[in-house]
Amino acid sequence: MRVVIPALMSCVVTFGASLSAQPTSSTPARPAALPAGWEPHHPDAIIQQMQRAVAGNPALASRQISAVLLHGAEPRVAAFGLHSLAAMARPEGSDVVLHFLEHRRPGLRRHAVAAAVAIGGRAMTRALERRLGDPDPDVRGDAAMGLGEIGDANSLTQLWLAFERDLESSLHAEGSALLRAAARSIARIGYGTDVDRLIGYLRRAPFRTLTDAFLVTLQRDAINPQLKLRVVNAIGNLATPEAREFLNQFVQNHRGRPNAYVDAARTAASRIQ
């Protein structure tokens, strides 16, 4: 646990520079008793106390840091605290993470998303699904990616809804962060029917929106080789320079025994002018 502290500090210094010193909550923080000896009015001292706490008992540290954040703290302190809760990944941090997922500052909501992913569980998963509709595009993308990391297949319905909604409204030539992350998470936790559904978007969605998703599909042991072959053939049928680049990269990075879908990728790439 001790090795986490420098990484946490560097993350907060980087991100904290973009946060002005205003209250951390869009609504009054719920009453919380500060741990004995913790001084909320000295941010640097609070961060040092958090560092010491994380190096000790993680359950106690999670409760102490949660109390400090719910009591109210500067944004950089809140960011450090959320990073600490993510590093410890303890359920004792759940309440404060849920609180910050609703925070008015997108930056702190992103920190809360990372902590929610680390803690996991049903409550965090459902809260992340709600963030798929967040006003901030980066928060939406982080939430979509996080759902794939948690790996709850019950999130597939919400991921598909977010993907299709964003596809209709996105103005980005290469797709939005949410589109790319949702497609990747669908490929990561979805079933064969979900992969077939993604294939159906090859000519409807920007190709770069789907590349990470198809790489995940082709690398998943749980996916049937025949389905992987269908993915390769569908991409090859696009006959675009982007498709050729993707297939060549896949072949070059493949590790393991030769197989039908790798051979098909090599052949398809060679035919594209």
Side-chain angles (χ1 to χ4, degrees), residues 84-238:
S84 300
L85 293 174
M88 293 181 291
R90 294 286 307 183
E92 291 84 357
S94 297
D95 284 348
V96 74
V97 170
L98 290 172
H99 180 73
F100 274 87
L101 282 171
E102 304 290 338
H103 196 276
R104 72 174 182 275
R105 290 178 178 272
L108 288 177
R109 294 202 300 276
R110 294 186 74 185
H111 285 291
V113 167
V117 173
I119 293 171
R122 181 178 177 83
M124 296 295 106
T125 301
R126 301 291 87 82
L128 287 176
E129 289 173 0
R130 292 191 291 273
R131 289 300 100 200
L132 293 173
D134 193 276
D136 184 82
D138 291 326
V139 176
R140 295 196 297 269
D142 288 354
M145 188 68 72
L147 288 169
E149 292 177 27
I150 290 177
D152 184 347
N154 290 317
S155 296
L156 283 166
T157 297
Q158 294 303 317
L159 285 166
W160 272 116
L161 287 172
F163 176 87
E164 292 174 339
R165 180 180 65 241
D166 216 52
L167 181 62
E168 295 299 322
S169 61
S170 178
L171 300 177
H172 299 279
E174 295 186 358
S176 67
L178 172 61
L179 277 173
R180 295 190 296 273
R184 189 182 191 282
S185 289
I186 288 167
R188 187 171 182 174
I189 64 177
Y191 306 101
T193 52
D194 296 293
V195 175
D196 276 325
R197 192 170 170 183
L198 283 172
I199 291 174
Y201 281 93
L202 268 173
R203 297 185 183 276
R204 297 168 56 191
F207 183 66
R208 293 189 185 278
T209 294
L210 301 172
T211 51
D212 285 350
F214 286 129
L215 280 176
V216 168
T217 297
L218 292 171
Q219 292 165 356
R220 272 185 70 187
D221 292 338
I223 298 298
N224 187 294
Q226 291 301 315
L227 181 52
K228 293 181 181 182
L229 183 60
R230 289 208 298 276
V231 169
V232 167
N233 288 336
I235 294 173
N237 288 338
L238 294 176

Side-chain angles (χ1 to χ4, degrees), residues 1-6 8 51 53-58 61 84 87-90:
M1 186 61 70
R2 296 178 183 273
V3 298
V4 174
I5 302 303
L8 288 173
Q51 287 179 298
V54 171
N57 183 305
S84 300
M88 293 181 291
R90 294 286 307 183

